[in-house]
Amino acid sequence: MSNDAGMYDDALVTFFAEARDMLVQIEDTLLALENDPLDRENINALFRAAHTIKGSAGLFGLDRVVAFTHQVESVLDKVRNGELTIDLTMSDVLLKSSDVITALLEEAERKTQDPAEIALLDANANLVLAKLSQYLGRSVDAAVSMKAGPAAEEPESGAKAGIWHISLRFGENTFRNGFDPLSVINYLRTLGEIKTIVTVDQYLPKIDELDPESCYLGFEIRLNTASAKAEIEGAFEFLRDDCTLHILPPNRRASDFIALLRELPDEARLGDLLVDCGAITRAALDAALQQQQGGERQDGERRGAKAIGQILVDQKHVQPEVLDAALVKQGRRDPKIEDSRFVRVPADKLDDLINLVGELVICGASANLMATTLRNQQMIETTQQMSGLVEEIRNGTLALRMVQIGETFARFRRVVRDTAAELGKEIHLEIEGSETELDKSVVEKIGDPLMHLVRNAMDHGIETPQVRVEQGKPPYGSLRLSAHHDSGHIVIQVDDDGKGLDGEKILAKARERGLVAPNQVLSDNDKMNLIFEPGFSTAEAITNLSGRGVGMDVVKKNIEALRGSVVLRSEVGQGTTIEIRLPLTLAIIDGFLVKVGRNSYVIPLHSVIECINPETKQLQATANSNSWSGVLDLRGEVLPYVDLRKVFEVTEPSPPRRSVVVVKNGETTAGLVVDQLLGEYQTVIKPLGKLFRQLRGISGSTVLGSGEVALILDVAAMTRMASERNEREAMEQAMAAQYS
């Protein structure tokens, strides 16, 4: 019994995860239909998603989810049948319905018992149900519909006595899961009279390849009944995941057959396709074949297929558009391609795997060091081979954690739609680089900062349509989310074509709030960066979206907590660009190991451009004894650098010859002066303790093969330190010269 309970709980967890995925699909599909409301593929996908959520929820006894989703499904069924068209008003109602289903699922998942919380959810659901009732042509008793299942609904149109067509294909594991196809047939007989039933055996293998535990059956059934579609579907409630089911009502139209044709498996013969989708009967096909054989035979399989189709059209057994769809389906038949298979794995198991691979990397480095120390050539070759395999395992494991950022970007379609309506603005969202991949842990943590940046751009950046037209701009504003890879980082940009940021106004506001001294002089870049100061806001009034001075500073802190950086560029009247640069992964990186004094440091390899060995005199000539920064001449270009010995206050004597590691972060290039270059090193990132998290210039630590702890340098912070230090020293020298 305990095993059954455990399996039920596991299945329930999987259902909630899959239902959330389908709700995201519903939202994306609705937004796509706002641009093309007649897209049959999207309409069918929308209905299937709602239908699947309802059916699966019924298996777990989630009656409230089933009852509400059934009303949504009824509206979508009318859309699918061409009785309704999705416009902006209906889309808004359906999006709110998706929100209610999400809340009902969360209620079921958390097993909410709070009466006040349940009452609030019911009130929201009832408001949406009232709007859905307008499309159903009848009132929906909210209190009843939230408790009763689909059987409480009135029979749908077309539920009068008539012949329904049921196209059924059982899954291979039907028998293994304890289901008997004959019991389904027997149940259908209780609903009415089965006029015809045709067994589809095209998937039946040869006798020596047949597995007695596998099901290869399919049926085409014509059922004469006055039952509603929901009752017919009830016969397959427990087979929902083990069969492919299509039910066509008595008043079916050509579009129903065409939709079914698209979803049916490929058939070699045109007549079989038309029979399988219910467009014609087997008797009608046999009669047409006899007529064809009695006439003149035509050469060529394709011409013969057209001939039989033309006969069926002439006899008014099938509509011409249905025949065209069947011919297209038959014409694009390709060799069967193996379907992609996906396995849903809990995120914590992937985290554990990453940690184990990290420890394996450290052990491999230790073994390699031992082999080198012992000077055992055979052991060195073995450890080198092992290091290569470990690197492949590392890359493969990290690839499991990589997800496309497009899923995160897609969430903002709904945000932009609703927020633009709230602000009275017209905003078009453009998405680029949605296929760009990065670590799942980074994706999860970047959502909130991106949300604030997008809302900020819509509220502060993009003007109202009237203002934009007065300024010679189109009435609608453009907001663009883009992503691309750059030197081991992912770069995310949020662009808008709004009014931009005025550095002087920002500076005046900052002085008003006491964030900048009255006589303090700031560069244009520093003025822009004032918006990241805690408590700073340019909003004239507090709204639901912004104006409270909480946000941009939190955005910057959250991004820096991910070892990332944020850069702002803006032009008055043209718009603003905010660029976020993040590491691809937070777990394992390729590093470049260096020595400064007795300690080892790791520089992320993707940031390293080259290593140079300048003359010692050149280093001494460009930096005084008190400064730890300076500049070098790198092939005619000025290269600012920082001396890590002075940064970390190393007291040991300096070696006679030192090296400079040239690193790049975005558009900024700088040099790091080190004592010794040790080469590439696979680095397992270990987070710093709470006491050291605020250290500037250090992003983490790692354990070397010798057991020594090495600090990982934050290249972005180091390059900024070099630039800021040089600017400050130049300003001090200028002031000293002025007063001397």
Side-chain angles (χ1 to χ4, degrees):
M1 189 69 180
S2 61
N3 288 339
D4 293 341
M7 291 176 63
Y8 176 86
D9 291 341
D10 291 343
L12 192 58
V13 169
T14 302
F15 160 70
F16 285 127
E18 292 180 346
R20 280 190 288 268
D21 290 343
M22 282 184 279
L23 285 167
V24 172
Q25 177 188 344
I26 287 174
E27 191 171 292
D28 292 344
T29 306
L30 281 170
L31 295 174
L33 284 170
E34 288 184 358
N35 298 322
D36 186 5
L38 299 179
D39 188 325
R40 295 299 305 177
E41 185 174 346
N42 277 335
I43 290 173
N44 290 331
L46 191 61
F47 178 83
R48 285 195 302 270
H51 181 72
T52 302
I53 291 175
K54 186 200 79 171
S56 300
L59 288 175
F60 294 100
L62 305 179
D63 294 338
R64 286 163 61 79
V65 178
V66 172
F68 185 88
T69 309
H70 183 66
Q71 308 303 332
V72 178
E73 182 190 34
S74 298
V75 173
L76 294 176
D77 192 39
K78 288 196 168 190
V79 174
R80 188 177 61 157
N81 293 333
E83 299 173 38
L84 296 172
T85 302
I86 293 181
D87 55 15
L88 289 177
T89 303
M90 181 188 287
S91 180
D92 188 60
V93 174
L94 292 173
L95 285 170
K96 287 183 170 64
S97 300
S98 176
D99 294 339
V100 172
I101 297 172
T102 301
L104 288 169
L105 288 170
E106 290 177 355
E107 175 197 58
E109 189 172 18
R110 293 186 288 111
K111 299 179 180 178
T112 303
Q113 302 293 331
D114 184 0
E117 189 174 344
I118 294 174
L120 179 61
L121 176 54
D122 283 348
N124 292 334
N126 292 342
L127 289 174
V128 178
L129 284 171
K131 295 179 180 179
L132 288 172
S133 67
Q134 300 173 9
Y135 298 106
L136 294 174
R138 52 181 169 76
S139 62
V140 177
D141 186 343
V144 173
S145 62
M146 286 298 289
K147 295 177 182 177
E153 187 192 14
E154 299 173 8
E156 59 190 76
S157 61
K160 298 178 181 179
I163 297 179
W164 294 70
H165 183 86
I166 303 171
S167 179
L168 176 64
R169 301 292 185 274
F170 289 102
E172 187 175 336
N173 293 321
T174 299
F175 295 150
R176 295 188 183 93
N177 292 335
F179 298 113
D180 181 5
L182 185 59
S183 63
V184 178
I185 306 300
N186 291 333
Y187 181 82
L188 288 176
R189 286 196 174 98
T190 66
L191 301 178
E193 180 186 2
I194 295 181
K195 288 293 188 181
T196 60
I197 180 169
V198 177
T199 302
V200 179
D201 57 1
Q202 68 183 83
Y203 297 114
L204 196 66
K206 296 179 181 178
I207 189 66
D208 55 342
E209 299 175 358
L210 189 143
D211 181 358
E213 295 184 355
S214 297
C215 183
Y216 307 99
L217 295 175
F219 295 104
E220 296 296 328
I221 304 169
R222 287 177 176 267
L223 176 67
N224 188 4
T225 179
S227 299
K229 184 178 180 181
E231 294 181 70
I232 300 175
E233 288 177 344
F236 307 94
E237 193 67 42
F238 296 101
L239 279 169
R240 187 71 60 200
D241 296 330
D242 287 283
C243 72
T244 301
L245 175 67
H246 302 279
I247 301 175
L248 301 184
N251 58 344
R252 51 193 177 269
R253 296 179 302 279
S255 59
D256 297 318
F257 295 117
I258 294 172
L260 182 53
L261 272 170
R262 291 172 180 167
E263 298 180 12
L264 281 175
D266 293 331
E267 299 274 8
R269 293 175 295 184
L270 177 68
D272 291 334
L273 273 174
L274 295 171
V275 171
D276 285 353
C277 76
I280 62 173
T281 63
R282 178 63 65 179
L285 176 62
D286 291 341
L289 287 171
Q290 289 179 0
Q291 180 176 338
Q292 183 193 42
Q293 291 172 358
E296 295 180 358
R297 297 186 62 86
Q298 296 180 346
D299 296 330
E301 180 183 354
R302 185 67 177 169
R303 293 177 62 190
K306 286 185 179 179
I308 190 66
Q310 189 60 50
I311 292 172
L312 290 168
V313 171
D314 293 341
Q315 294 178 348
K316 300 190 182 301
H317 287 305
V318 66
Q319 296 97 322
E321 56 267 35
V322 176
L323 175 64
D324 291 341
L327 288 170
V328 170
K329 175 76 176 179
Q330 186 191 40
R332 67 163 180 250
R333 184 166 56 89
D334 294 321
K336 195 167 184 179
I337 301 174
E338 184 179 357
D339 294 334
S340 299
R341 300 186 182 274
F342 297 92
V343 178
R344 188 180 294 274
V345 179
D348 56 348
K349 289 188 177 181
L350 278 180
D351 292 338
D352 293 341
L353 180 60
I354 291 289
N355 291 334
L356 288 174
V357 171
E359 296 301 321
L360 183 62
V361 169
I362 294 173
C363 288
S366 179
N368 196 19
L369 178 63
M370 186 180 297
T372 304
T373 303
L374 295 175
R375 297 184 180 180
N376 185 321
Q377 189 59 37
Q378 188 174 3
M379 189 175 178
I380 290 174
E381 292 177 359
T382 302
T383 55
Q384 287 178 344
Q385 184 179 5
M386 183 184 70
S387 296
L389 294 173
V390 168
E391 185 175 357
E392 289 184 21
I393 294 173
R394 181 204 69 173
N395 294 337
T397 306
L398 289 177
L400 295 176
R401 287 271 299 253
M402 303 299 280
V403 297
Q404 292 187 351
I405 199 171
E407 183 177 341
T408 300
F409 281 176
R411 298 175 191 169
F412 292 102
R413 295 189 186 278
R414 172 81 181 278
V415 174
V416 171
R417 176 191 183 277
D418 293 347
T419 305
E422 180 181 346
L423 295 171
K425 299 178 179 179
E426 297 179 20
I427 301 175
H428 293 178
L429 176 64
E430 302 173 13
I431 292 178
E432 296 180 6
S434 57
E435 71 284 352
T436 307
E437 292 186 333
L438 73 163
D439 194 295
K440 185 177 185 295
S441 60
V442 180
V443 169
E444 292 171 349
K445 295 174 182 176
I446 195 60
D448 288 342
L450 274 180
M451 178 70 73
H452 188 87
L453 293 176
V454 168
R455 285 175 170 267
N456 239 25
M458 291 188 288
D459 191 17
H460 295 303
I462 297 177
E463 311 92 336
T464 60
Q466 181 180 356
V467 173
R468 292 181 64 86
V469 170
E470 291 173 356
Q471 295 176 349
K473 296 181 179 181
Y476 60 86
S478 295
L479 181 64
R480 185 168 65 95
L481 286 174
S482 63
H484 65 275
H485 288 152
D486 180 27
S487 301
H489 285 79
I490 180 172
V491 178
I492 302 171
Q493 288 187 337
V494 181
D495 300 274
D496 69 73
D497 65 346
K499 59 186 177 184
L501 293 172
D502 189 330
E504 295 304 322
K505 288 185 178 180
I506 293 174
L507 180 59
K509 198 83 171 181
R511 283 177 174 158
E512 179 185 326
R513 293 176 176 267
L515 298 174
V516 177
N519 298 325
Q520 187 175 352
V521 178
L522 297 179
S523 64
D524 292 339
N525 188 49
D526 290 337
K527 293 175 186 176
M528 294 294 179
N529 287 328
L530 285 172
I531 69 170
F532 295 111
E533 292 296 322
F536 184 85
S537 175
T538 58
E540 299 297 333
I542 294 176
T543 67
N544 290 334
L545 297 177
S546 58
R548 293 174 173 82
V550 178
M552 292 301 285
D553 61 318
V554 177
V555 168
K556 186 175 183 181
K557 287 179 181 177
N558 289 344
I559 292 171
E560 289 179 347
L562 294 172
R563 304 203 317 274
S565 60
V566 56
V567 177
L568 185 148
R569 297 186 294 273
S570 186
E571 186 176 347
V572 177
Q574 300 300 315
T576 302
T577 297
I578 296 180
E579 180 181 286
I580 300 172
R581 181 176 290 268
L582 295 165
L584 290 180
T585 178
L586 301 179
I588 304 173
I589 62 170
D590 286 321
F592 189 75
L593 195 61
V594 298
K595 200 94 172 177
V596 181
R598 298 178 182 176
N599 299 319
S600 299
Y601 299 89
V602 176
I603 304 171
L605 188 61
H606 55 70
S607 299
V608 177
I609 299 177
E610 62 178 317
C611 298
I612 59 176
N613 293 307
E615 295 290 336
T616 304
K617 293 180 180 179
Q618 188 179 4
L619 288 174
Q620 293 174 344
T622 55
N624 60 54
S625 59
N626 296 323
S627 173
W628 44 260
S629 65
V631 292
L632 285 171
D633 180 5
L634 181 63
R635 295 185 291 275
E637 298 289 335
V638 175
L639 177 71
Y641 71 84
V642 290
D643 189 337
L644 295 184
R645 289 183 64 87
K646 294 179 180 179
V647 171
F648 297 116
E649 299 181 356
V650 178
T651 57
E652 291 88 358
S654 174
R657 191 67 180 260
R658 304 178 67 201
S659 301
V660 175
V661 181
V662 182
V663 295
K664 185 174 183 179
N665 178 63
E667 300 300 321
T668 305
T669 305
L672 304 177
V673 183
V674 301
D675 291 350
Q676 188 179 358
L677 306 175
L678 300 179
E680 296 183 21
Y681 186 81
Q682 290 187 39
T683 306
V684 180
I685 301 173
K686 301 290 184 182
L688 297 171
K690 293 182 179 179
L691 185 63
F692 303 102
R693 284 181 181 171
Q694 302 304 319
L695 282 178
R696 192 179 183 194
I698 304 297
S699 61
S701 62
T702 188
V703 179
L704 304 180
S706 61
E708 176 190 356
V709 175
L711 296 177
I712 302 172
L713 300 182
D714 185 343
V715 171
M718 285 290 180
T719 54
R720 284 198 301 270
M721 289 166 66
S723 299
E724 292 171 3
R725 189 85 175 191
N726 284 332
E727 290 178 4
R728 191 180 305 115
E729 289 180 354
M731 188 177 297
E732 290 174 355
Q733 291 175 4
M735 292 179 65
Q738 182 179 354
Y739 293 104
S740 60

